[in-house]
Amino acid sequence: MTGFSTRIAGVPMPGGRACEAARTVCAEYADEALYHHSVRAYVFGAAYAQERQLAFDAELLYVSALLHDLALTDPFDSHRLAFEEAGGHLARVFTAGLGWDAARRDRAAEIIVLHMRDDVPAEQDVESHLLQIGTTADVSGGTLDAFGTEFRAELLREYPRVGFGAAFVGLFRDQAARKPDCAAAGLVAGDWPDRVAANPLERG
């Protein structure tokens, strides 16, 4: 597990009980590649917001980012639900333990579900938009043009990919085989695996 910093690639990291708990759970249950991806997804999203002066709830986005892929891991995988839907339920349970009210728990679940859905405009739902930006940049490179090369290099130095791309495609192929109607199956059936392999971040 990479040591936690208060700033990553120039982006301030939120603190507090909820964020510490989300980071601990992600680091314990995800392997290194998936944990690093979850942190990078937050940093990409927060950096994007910082550059564009978008106001967002850092705690909500961070918790959602650190939990968003945990339903791809064996302990939290659902053989019936798409992983993002299972992840939304996981987030609701996790945040109930933190004492979040029902509306805030629903928001964490919604952000996780929507990261695998059609693009959400920032003016409609800024946290969902930012998680979509962050995950798209990190997984397939689709929004990388929004980020400078120095920022990207520093982020990868602090949280390297450690074989993330190929491993992540493998996780999605597994989801697709068992849940042929899920969003992951649609991506695997198209050119998404090739886009992941071609992501410039995979070359460092």
Side-chain angles (χ1 to χ4, degrees):
M1 173 179 165
T2 299
F4 181 72
S5 303
T6 56
R7 297 179 74 87
I8 298 172
V11 175
M13 294 294 103
R17 177 170 171 252
C19 294
E20 289 293 330
R23 183 172 66 88
T24 297
V25 167
C26 185
E28 287 182 354
Y29 284 96
D31 63 16
E32 186 178 31
L34 199 62
Y35 169 60
H36 284 197
H37 160 66
S38 301
V39 174
R40 291 193 307 265
Y42 174 82
V43 176
F44 272 122
Y48 184 92
Q50 186 174 280
E51 180 68 21
R52 289 156 183 78
Q53 298 184 326
L54 297 176
F56 69 100
D57 186 322
E59 178 188 66
L60 180 60
L61 179 61
Y62 186 87
V63 169
S64 301
L66 271 289
L67 301 181
H68 83 277
D69 277 342
L70 281 187
L72 291 170
T73 67
D74 287 343
F76 301 115
D77 178 48
S78 168
H79 284 269
R80 294 182 180 271
L81 296 178
F83 85 90
E84 68 274 15
E85 294 174 12
H89 288 291
L90 169 62
R92 294 193 82 258
V93 172
F94 174 88
T95 53
L98 293 170
W100 287 16
D101 64 29
R104 191 164 179 79
R105 291 167 59 210
D106 287 346
R107 281 290 294 131
E110 180 180 40
I111 292 164
I112 290 171
V113 170
L114 289 179
H115 95 276
M116 288 292 291
R117 301 294 186 263
D118 292 338
D119 291 346
V120 178
E123 58 271 20
Q124 176 182 319
D125 179 347
V126 68
E127 288 82 23
S128 292
H129 178 73
L130 294 176
L131 187 58
Q132 288 182 334
I133 290 289
T135 55
T136 300
D138 198 57
V139 174
S140 64
T143 56
L144 270 185
D145 288 347
F147 304 97
T149 55
E150 290 186 10
F151 166 82
R152 287 150 50 177
E154 184 175 348
L155 179 55
L156 290 182
R157 279 195 297 271
E158 295 196 53
Y159 284 83
R161 291 181 81 75
V162 291
F164 169 71
F168 199 66
V169 169
L171 289 171
F172 268 42
R173 289 193 191 281
D174 175 67
Q175 293 285 312
R178 293 185 288 111
K179 309 168 196 177
D181 295 326
C182 71
L187 289 174
V188 168
D191 67 349
W192 177 81
D194 294 332
R195 289 188 283 118
V196 174
N199 186 347
L201 297 179
E202 286 294 295
R203 300 189 292 272

